[in-house]
């Protein structure tokens, strides 16, 4: 699948989606060695199909996949998506981390794009995602107040992300409770310049903390929970909810 022509200024229904799906699946143990996380089965369907559903429902049709570990079956599945879905991808052959993988994708990305993690599902309205960014913002992180089983890791002040730490404690000086990063954000491609081009692997947290220092990371808040299937326990809970839905 070759790169499709860039659409300068594309937004709204045409917002491009970048999907990080190249991780080695180490936290999943044996599950991660047999197949890529994004293709783990859920009620007879690959997780990828569930991830795409709310994005397609919002009219988003252009996707770039950042691949690496076990890329071939993902590429095969992408080839079976409907013709109305435009897909590009690149495959990293070295470990780059989430930040490095996104930095490597820069030649394929629009000036503004939506980023989602390939092992995380968040069902929210995406059609207006381009409006989450203010004129001086370089990115907007989607945060939830819902109890998702993931410890809150983000602080917010005056509508901006003011702290990002996976072990962040509750902070009484924030506007409201501590929030949890959902793995979804809107970024301007130019923000990737803050990542050292020679550093691999590098985590997206490095980029987010830089944007926090620049007061350039907006907070888009929701009360909807998200699902992370990145560990055997979380994957098992997600499976249970789909194989045995509540009456």
């Amino acid at each position: 699948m070759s790169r499709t022509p860039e659409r300068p200024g594309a937004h709204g229904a045409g917002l491009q989606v970048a999907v990080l799906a190249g991780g080695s699946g180490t936290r999943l143990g044996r599950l991660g060695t047999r197949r890529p996380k994004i293709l783990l089965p859920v009620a007879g369907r690959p997780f990828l199909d569930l991830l795409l559903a709310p994005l397609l429902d919002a009219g988003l049709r252009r996707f770039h996949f950042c691949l690496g570990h076990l890329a071939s079956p993902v590429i095969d599945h992408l080839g079976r998506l409907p013709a109305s879905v435009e897909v590009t991808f690149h495959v990293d052959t070295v470990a780059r981390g989430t930040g490095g993988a996104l930095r490597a994708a820069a030649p394929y990305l629009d000036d503004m794009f939506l980023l989602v993690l390939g092992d995380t599902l968040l069902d929210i309205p995406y059609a207006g995602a381009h409006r989450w960014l203010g004129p001086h913002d370089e990115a907007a992180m989607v945060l939830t107040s819902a109890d998702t089983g993931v410890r809150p890791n983000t602080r917010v002040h005056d509508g901006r992300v003011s702290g990002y730490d996976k072990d962040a404690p509750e902070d009484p000086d924030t506007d409201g409770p501590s929030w949890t990063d959902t793995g979804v954000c809107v970024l301007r491609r130019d923000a990737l310049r803050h990542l050292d081009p020679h550093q691999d692997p590098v985590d997206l947290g490095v980029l987010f903390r830089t944007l926090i220092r620049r007061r350039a990371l907006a907070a888009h808040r929701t009360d909807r929970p998200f699902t992370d299937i990145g560990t055997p326990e979380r994957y098992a809970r997600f499976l249970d909810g789909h194989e045995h839905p509540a009456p």
Side-chain angles (χ1 to χ4, degrees), residues 29-45:
R30 291 182 59 193
L31 283 171
T33 63
R34 294 198 294 264
R35 68 178 78 196
K37 286 185 289 185
I38 200 167
L39 293 185
L40 286 174
V42 179
R45 301 172 62 193

Side-chain angles (χ1 to χ4, degrees), residues 146-222:
D147 181 5
T148 63
V150 178
R151 184 174 179 173
N153 56 14
T154 308
R155 299 186 297 279
V156 175
H157 183 70
D158 288 340
R160 295 187 173 279
V161 179
S162 59
Y164 182 77
D165 187 336
K166 292 180 180 179
D167 298 314
E170 191 89 5
D171 187 339
D173 295 328
T174 61
D175 64 341
S178 292
W179 298 78
T180 304
D181 171 20
T182 64
V184 175
C185 61
V186 174
L187 291 106
R188 300 191 195 279
R189 183 183 57 196
D190 190 53
L192 301 179
R193 76 187 188 281
H194 300 305
L195 290 171
D196 185 337
H198 305 295
Q199 182 181 358
D200 279 322
V202 58
D203 189 81
L204 271 173
V206 173
L207 174 60
F208 293 148
R209 292 182 187 97
T210 298
L211 296 181
I212 289 169
R213 291 193 296 271
R214 293 173 56 83
R215 294 186 53 79
L217 182 56
H220 181 77
R221 288 168 282 189
T222 181

